[in-house]
Amino acid sequence: MPETRSSTACRALLLSGATWLALAGAGAAHAQSLAAVPPAPVVPAAPSDGLGDDGYYLESDLLIRDDVNKIMTARGSVEARYQGRTLRADEVVYNSATGAVTANGHVQLIDPDGTAEFADHLELDKDMKAGFARNFSARLDKNIKVAAVTAVKRNANIQELNQAIYTPCEVCATKPTPTWSVSADKIVEDKKRQLIYYKHAVIHMWGAPVLYLPIFWHPDPKAERSSGFLAPKLDFSKGRGISYSQPYLYVISPSSDVVVTPQINTKVNPFLNANYRKRFYSGVLEARGGFTYDKDFDIRGDRFGQGTFRSYLLADGRFDIDRKWKWGFSAERVSDALLFDKYKVNDVYQQRGLFTSDDHRLMSQIYATRQDARSWLSVSAVSVQGLRVVGIDPTTKSANAFENSGAFPLIGPLVEGRWEPASPVLGGRVRLQGSGVVLTRSESQFGEAPYFLGAYKGRGGVDSSRASLQADWRSSTIVGPGLKVSPFAQARGDAYSINTYLTPAAAALGDDAKQTYTRALGVGGVDFSLPFYKPLKNGGSVVLEPLAQIASGSDSSRVPVIVARDGTKTYLYNEDSATLEFDETNLFKANKSPGFDLYEGGTRVNVGGRATMATADGRGGSILVGRSFRSQFDPLLPARTGLQSRSSDWIVSATVTPIVGITAFARTRLDSKSQEIHRIETGVDAYTKRISGSLRYLKDEVDANGNRQENLEARGQLNITKKWALTAFGQRDMVQNVWRRRDLGVAYIDDCIRIDVVYQQEDRYASTATGLRLQPDRTIAVGLTLATLGDRRYGIGKY
């Protein structure tokens, strides 16, 4: 059809759809029946009618052109398409003199993304900056529905809905009442501020009014980040009474925001939390903190002691210096070792920086790293604050102290680097590594046993420094029908300077207060593997792989420095290898020690076998069995690892997936003679349509701290129906024979709401007027999440 004033009218009205879309998606309204919102039409994502960007299509039963009054009118089943947008109405009128566009009767405006607006009457001025709609409704993205008696677009920034209702919940003929909705006499969208304001707002749950607010506002759901209230949290506990936490997100700038969360408690003073985030051109900064002024209180809420400020800080930053260099930091400190437990501060022990915080330990660090295709360098410093309870009386289950943070070394500087040449050396890969560290303590790490009292009480612990240089070479070749042969060699040099913790007993035996020590270490050997592969008829496979390693090198050598004595018992220097465990991860390593201070030497043979089966439908399993043989007994390797004897303990590791979605695993170390279990970790993960969860069991006869461990942890969710689910979590300490934590919850979930009610009982150490005691802490928490209204999982508050 040739270009006429009718085409201008058509294009003007079709383009106006974008302006109404913003208003309809704003976020709330009142009064009209949402069941009247027509179902969203199925529209292709892009036009396929061949019109392109400039072409248009107009169809109607009658087209009237009034040249005298400069009015073009299309009547009867009007349909127009332009740039993927479709307009349908009983009548479309365009006044070329004023530029005004009017549509009457069953007006539908459908955008290429499938969103649609509906009205009985629609008007727009020539600039499309102001307009009016009567009996307006819309179905938008995120399943948002809105309906209003009238919709008014006053200018480019201010739009309002009158007597309207809003919901993201499913609404249809069989379900006319949404799960929740917000209604108001007037809702105003301020595009400039990205806020939605309500006048006389009522929140309905399943059709029943539950909350009236004379004035209410929240961020525009279409805005990526806007200031406003987030989902609150309500819980009940004996210690704090009724607690209400109401987070508020304040967007400071396009690159920064802060969430302020006051926690109001009925039994103790309020606690204020804040989370600040800032994105820079070169990185990101995040800082969490909280504080209160109050006395200490026990699990029953009884307060004692003097009032004081109690606070915490959890902060980290990561920044790029250039393409290769980066730097960062973390700051983690708390004034009260039990503060996180008492005030239910979550997500505390996470990785912030290069190193990960351990459970109930905080780690502050600063670091710089450089990385390219062939090298890595890091320089860092680390400080640790211990929050664990020590000195436990097994009879009364009371404790008298926390960890002594002064006994943890200040690590710094810690320098680590490695480099690999681009070309092979002697047909293999070469890697050079360097490491250096300085450890400084303010207090002894051996506690205050009787032999450390008197003149030695409070004396500083063992300070030391170490420098190491290591070279590794490894090659690989295939021999015959598939035998993989991988020779390797390793050489290392270490230099130590150690200030020992010299006691009178140690001095009487001739120990020195300061020692320096150097050593040269090396090992060479060969790895062998010969996999046998067999395909299965159903498309799966079976692989059997014998494994062996022969290695010989320097004698096992821990720095032979006695740093303390207790009668006949000696404490040897071992800072970075105390956590050595013998398992499948290091069975075939040239040096099984995780650090530098302890070195596995001598001549040994590591043997094992691995079998793997996989089917085409995702089922299968694998098992690894192995052990280590050495030429002589090694007294320097920890006895608890099962590596001292000439024949080590057995290592068994297995994983099986009998049904798609269910996976079980077991990792264990068995006695070399009796096959008694010395250590086992086993569990099951299940993710099916009805069940999701995990089960973990750990038993260790002697852990790295010389204690016995045995605990069980289980978590899961059972979907009873499509909307109702049961959640559970439990942690049991089988050595102390107590449940550390038990949670049982009920969750209701549908397309636009989630309600969680969780009962939690936690047996934890708590402050009392007479000391620390293990006591049950019971809490009931209620969580409510409304889609599109201030919850981060629906897009509010994200960068």
Side-chain angles (χ1 to χ4, degrees), residues 311-328:
S311 60
Y312 74 91
L313 174 66
L314 303 171
D316 71 298
R318 303 171 298 279
F319 305 94
D320 296 334
I321 300 174
D322 56 28
R323 294 182 62 184
K324 297 180 180 180
W325 282 95
K326 303 178 187 296
W327 79 277

Side-chain angles (χ1 to χ4, degrees), residues 343-516:
Y343 290 96
K344 297 295 182 184
V345 180
N346 299 321
D347 302 324
V348 174
Y349 309 106
Q350 297 183 340
Q351 180 166 346
R352 300 178 180 91
L354 289 182
F355 309 100
T356 305
S357 295
D358 201 357
D359 183 48
H360 279 77
R361 284 175 180 165
L362 300 180
M363 186 177 297
S364 299
Q365 56 191 293
I366 185 169
Y367 60 89
T369 64
R370 182 189 186 278
Q371 184 175 10
D372 59 24
R374 294 291 174 180
S375 65
W376 161 267
L377 175 67
S378 70
V379 181
S380 58
V382 182
S383 174
V384 178
Q385 180 184 12
L387 307 179
R388 295 180 181 177
V389 174
V390 296
I392 301 171
D393 186 333
T395 303
T396 63
K397 295 183 178 178
S398 62
N400 53 28
F402 295 99
E403 286 181 315
N404 181 7
S405 295
F408 290 102
L410 173 63
I411 306 171
L414 170 60
V415 182
E416 298 177 297
R418 64 176 179 266
W419 174 76
E420 295 182 13
S423 302
V425 177
L426 300 177
R429 183 217 68 199
V430 170
R431 175 179 293 168
L432 299 180
Q433 291 180 269
S435 174
V437 65
V438 176
L439 305 178
T440 307
R441 285 185 173 87
S442 60
E443 298 184 48
S444 169
Q445 70 267 42
F446 301 108
E448 294 185 357
Y451 62 95
F452 291 129
L453 298 180
Y456 296 90
K457 182 178 179 180
R459 180 177 172 179
V462 174
D463 299 336
S464 64
S465 58
R466 172 187 54 78
S468 301
L469 183 63
Q470 179 174 298
D472 290 277
W473 175 87
R474 177 177 286 272
S475 181
S476 181
T477 186
I478 304 297
V479 178
L483 175 65
K484 183 179 179 181
V485 181
S486 302
F488 63 87
Q490 182 185 94
R492 196 175 88 200
D494 300 322
Y496 287 87
S497 177
I498 303 171
N499 294 323
T500 65
Y501 192 93
L502 191 62
T503 64
L509 295 171
D511 290 347
D512 295 326
K514 184 174 183 179
Q515 298 190 29
T516 58

Side-chain angles (χ1 to χ4, degrees), residues 457-763:
K457 182 178 179 180
R459 180 177 172 179
V462 174
D463 299 336
S464 64
S465 58
R466 172 187 54 78
S468 301
L469 183 63
Q470 179 174 298
D472 290 277
W473 175 87
R474 177 177 286 272
S475 181
S476 181
T477 186
I478 304 297
V479 178
L483 175 65
K484 183 179 179 181
V485 181
S486 302
F488 63 87
Q490 182 185 94
R492 196 175 88 200
D494 300 322
Y496 287 87
S497 177
I498 303 171
N499 294 323
T500 65
Y501 192 93
L502 191 62
T503 64
L509 295 171
D511 290 347
D512 295 326
K514 184 174 183 179
Q515 298 190 29
T516 58
Y517 180 82
T518 59
R519 64 180 180 179
L521 304 166
V523 63
V526 184
D527 287 333
F528 300 95
S529 68
L530 181 61
F532 295 92
Y533 173 84
K534 180 181 180 180
L536 300 178
K537 293 181 179 180
N538 62 359
S541 64
V542 175
V543 179
L544 302 178
E545 186 178 11
L547 303 165
Q549 181 188 78
I550 301 173
S552 182
S554 309
D555 291 336
S556 297
S557 179
R558 178 188 293 156
V559 176
V561 174
I562 299 173
V563 294
R565 293 183 187 271
D566 181 6
T568 59
K569 184 178 181 180
T570 61
Y571 295 86
L572 301 180
Y573 182 86
N574 183 15
E575 292 283 4
D576 64 5
S577 303
T579 58
L580 169 63
E581 295 287 352
F582 178 40
D583 55 28
E584 77 281 1
T585 64
N586 58 9
L587 173 60
F588 294 101
K589 283 191 175 181
N591 176 25
K592 296 179 176 61
S593 173
F596 288 85
D597 297 339
L598 180 63
Y599 191 82
E600 183 197 16
T603 301
R604 64 266 190 194
V605 177
N606 303 313
V607 297
R610 179 165 44 219
T612 304
M613 186 187 76
T615 64
D617 60 0
R619 296 176 295 121
S622 66
I623 183 170
L624 171 68
V625 180
R627 66 188 307 194
S628 180
F629 300 91
R630 53 193 330 104
S631 59
Q632 58 185 1
F633 178 85
D634 190 342
L636 291 179
L637 294 173
R640 63 176 181 80
T641 63
L643 281 170
Q644 278 189 339
S645 303
R646 295 180 63 183
S647 300
S648 76
D649 287 349
W650 286 92
I651 297 298
V652 180
S653 176
T655 302
V656 61
T657 304
I659 302 173
V660 176
I662 298 179
T663 300
F665 72 92
R667 305 167 64 229
T668 184
R669 179 166 55 83
L670 308 175
D671 188 87
S672 59
K673 296 180 180 179
S674 65
Q675 281 72 57
E676 179 186 356
I677 295 176
H678 290 312
R679 190 178 192 278
I680 183 172
E681 181 181 359
T682 185
V684 178
D685 295 312
Y687 297 96
T688 66
K689 186 176 181 181
R690 298 294 297 272
I691 299 174
S692 63
S694 63
L695 179 69
R696 297 287 186 271
Y697 172 77
L698 172 66
K699 178 182 179 182
D700 194 344
E701 287 187 345
V702 183
D703 64 13
N705 298 316
N707 303 316
R708 177 174 173 263
Q709 279 193 74
E710 187 175 6
N711 54 66
L712 178 70
E713 178 179 301
R715 68 177 71 236
Q717 176 172 310
L718 172 62
N719 299 321
I720 302 174
T721 66
K722 290 183 178 181
K723 297 182 179 180
W724 289 95
L726 291 177
T727 61
F729 176 78
Q731 285 180 331
R732 181 167 179 80
D733 187 337
M734 305 176 79
V735 175
Q736 297 290 333
N737 197 29
V738 296
W739 283 97
R740 293 296 187 190
R741 180 175 166 183
R742 282 171 285 180
D743 294 1
L744 183 62
V746 179
Y748 174 85
I749 310 165
D750 67 14
D751 57 309
C752 63
I753 192 173
R754 178 177 179 121
I755 302 174
D756 291 277
V757 180
V758 180
Y759 170 80
Q760 180 183 109
Q761 176 170 317
E762 186 175 7
D763 293 330

